[in-house]
Amino acid sequence: QEPDGERESEVMSIEQRYTFFAQYYDPSAALVRVYQLVYYTDNAIEIFDMKNRRTFLKRMKFTEIALRDLFVGNTVTIHSRQFKVTEYGDRFTAERFAESSETAVALVLPAAIGAVPQLLKTFAHSGLIIAEVRMCE
């Protein structure tokens, strides 16, 4: 049986980090690389290379990214590299984000295409995060 102190520290360490899988297109090698991006609640990040099974970026403070920037479909820039968040890295992160996120689709008729910039501004000002915009014919 584990002492209560060990169990509490394990729960605290899990709650202090969120993990995501992210892709980076490497133009020099012309391929997409998959990384595990770990965000700590003290504004630190760490990146792990999944293919080579090694640390790509050691844990460091990185205040340019906030937790609200990390959601599936978003692209974040870390040291001039653009990482696209593709999925949640663990069940804890997925459950935490499922509590506070919803998905909606808005269809705009061709006659109202001129109103799209105003619609996007309205969505952004209301606190919605726009993950993807497509033009369909």
Side-chain angles (χ1 to χ4, degrees):
Q1 185 177 17
E2 296 178 6
D4 288 337
E6 285 181 27
R7 199 171 320 123
E8 284 178 23
S9 65
E10 182 179 321
V11 169
M12 284 182 63
S13 67
I14 291 172
E15 290 179 4
Q16 292 179 348
R17 67 182 224 148
Y18 297 89
T19 62
F20 305 87
F21 287 110
Q23 294 179 346
Y24 165 68
Y25 175 72
D26 185 352
S28 62
L31 55 89
V32 175
R33 298 186 186 276
V34 178
Y35 295 93
Q36 183 180 44
L37 171 63
V38 182
Y39 178 85
Y40 296 92
T41 54
D42 63 351
N43 293 329
I45 61 169
E46 183 175 29
I47 301 175
F48 184 78
D49 185 341
M50 299 301 291
K51 181 182 178 194
N52 297 319
R53 299 187 183 275
R54 63 181 176 155
T55 301
F56 180 75
L57 179 69
K58 288 184 180 181
R59 183 177 175 166
M60 62 175 290
K61 289 279 189 186
F62 196 79
T63 57
E64 289 84 5
I65 293 179
L67 190 56
R68 70 178 177 277
D69 300 324
L70 296 169
F71 56 89
V72 173
N74 194 28
T75 301
V76 293
T77 303
I78 302 171
H79 297 301
S80 300
R81 288 188 168 91
Q82 292 188 330
F83 292 89
K84 181 172 183 171
V85 180
T86 56
E87 62 183 294
Y88 300 115
D90 60 11
R91 188 176 62 191
F92 172 78
T93 304
E95 288 172 357
R96 288 295 170 114
F97 275 78
E99 291 173 2
S100 64
S101 68
E102 294 181 22
T103 302
V105 175
L107 298 175
V108 180
L109 297 174
I113 199 73
V116 170
Q118 185 58 40
L119 285 171
L120 294 177
K121 286 180 188 175
T122 303
F123 292 156
H125 287 292
S126 66
L128 296 174
I129 298 171
I130 301 167
E132 186 175 350
V133 177
R134 284 190 214 169
M135 177 124 178
C136 302
E137 293 184 38

